[in-house]
Amino acid sequence: AQSVTQLDSHVSVSEGTPVLLRCNYSSSYSPSLFWYVQHPNKGLQLLLKYTSAATLVKGINGFEAEFKKSETSFHLTKPSAHMSDAAEYFCVVRGQGGKLIFGQGTELSVKP
Amino acid sequence: DSGVTQTPKHLITATGQRVTLRCSPRSGDLSVYWYQQSLDQGLQFLIQYYNGEERAKGNILERFSAQQFPDLHSELNLSSLELGDSALYFCASSGRQPGTGRFLQETQYFGPGTRLLVL
């Protein structure tokens, strides 16, 4: 069975500093992995996805994630945080039949 | 804007009642998924439809049911509502890649959600 674990429930950074949101996955086959973002009172927006092509995936708004099979990780990074990045971030793995399996979420706070 | 629409945005109702949530997928998408987001359970998959047929079921209660119509819109019916059913209900669709029209079943685009409050 597929699952994802987000290692931090809350991350706080200062504006202009790097962002690292950690995610480990478990999958019995080559996974499809995603990061989604949810701004307050908004829906879920796809940031990026990994589907067994390049291991370094670039997404929207300057985010990227690296698939590391040896570490079963798919961490999300951004070189420089912006105030507008404050939101909840979900690491997601595609399960059987296409359903998405979500991690518990990481709330990102950005301090001025 | 993902192209997936959901109505209503907010719904307030009482315990024991029945409500219907509606979802219109992106143009051309054949698959519709329903998810529930609650504080204690997080985001959970409920059910999937593909071109009118049920494809997969997740943690969906027997009091809940869904269908997908010939025009591909979907409805989620919640009955005998309980306080614990209060949650944000999302619909997602998949099928076509924006711009290229390529079929990408694995990418799901989410609607803005319906916030249900059961009093």
Side-chain angles (χ1 to χ4, degrees):
Chain A
Q2 290 75 37
S3 66
V4 285
T5 302
Q6 292 184 244
L7 301 174
D8 307 293
S9 58
H10 187 242
V11 169
S12 182
V13 301
S14 296
E15 191 174 22
T17 64
V19 175
L20 170 64
L21 305 183
R22 298 182 297 163
C23 172
N24 286 349
Y25 71 89
S26 173
S27 179
S28 51
Y29 50 82
S30 183
S32 291
L33 293 160
F34 309 81
W35 277 96
Y36 279 84
V37 61
Q38 184 178 27
H39 286 94
N41 300 313
K42 294 283 177 81
L44 291 153
Q45 183 183 20
L46 178 67
L47 273 180
L48 50 80
K49 65 177 181 181
Y50 167 78
T51 52
S52 74
T55 56
L56 183 61
V57 183
K58 292 191 185 300
I60 62 171
N61 301 334
F63 285 94
E64 61 182 38
E66 186 171 8
F67 174 75
K68 290 187 177 179
K69 187 175 179 179
S70 59
E71 298 175 12
T72 61
S73 69
F74 189 58
H75 301 334
L76 181 71
T77 60
K78 182 173 180 177
S80 176
H82 192 271
M83 294 297 290
S84 61
D85 295 328
E88 184 109 27
Y89 291 79
F90 293 94
C91 181
V92 182
V93 64
R94 183 171 182 253
Q96 272 193 323
K99 69 178 183 183
L100 297 184
I101 300 164
F102 286 79
Q104 286 302 104
T106 297
E107 185 181 349
L108 176 65
S109 301
V110 183
K111 298 174 288 188
Chain B
D1 184 2
S2 67
V4 179
T5 60
Q6 290 186 246
T7 55
K9 266 188 154 178
H10 303 276
L11 203 45
I12 302 174
T13 188
T15 54
Q17 295 299 303
R18 173 190 167 94
V19 297
T20 297
L21 313 184
R22 182 189 168 103
C23 167
S24 292
R26 295 185 315 150
S27 177
D29 282 359
L30 300 178
S31 285
V32 169
Y33 306 78
W34 286 97
Y35 294 85
Q36 179 195 59
Q37 184 178 31
S38 62
L39 281 173
D40 52 345
Q41 300 285 341
L43 263 159
Q44 288 196 103
F45 167 72
L46 293 178
I47 196 164
Q48 178 202 0
Y49 278 81
Y50 178 81
N51 203 20
E53 292 190 6
E54 183 184 302
R55 266 292 175 92
K57 257 185 174 178
N59 298 326
I60 187 166
L61 300 171
E62 283 193 17
R63 300 184 285 108
F64 296 0
S65 65
Q67 52 186 325
Q68 186 179 27
F69 295 85
D71 67 352
L72 300 177
H73 91 270
S74 178
E75 292 180 357
L76 179 67
N77 301 296
L78 315 176
S79 61
S80 303
L81 285 167
E82 301 175 359
L83 296 178
D85 297 328
S86 297
L88 195 47
Y89 291 85
F90 286 109
C91 162
S93 75
S94 69
R96 290 182 312 104
Q97 181 183 42
T100 69
R102 280 199 309 145
F103 187 71
L104 285 178
Q105 185 72 357
E106 70 268 13
T107 302
Q108 294 181 24
Y109 296 89
F110 282 77
T114 293
R115 187 172 294 278
L116 173 66
L117 180 59
V118 183
L119 300 174

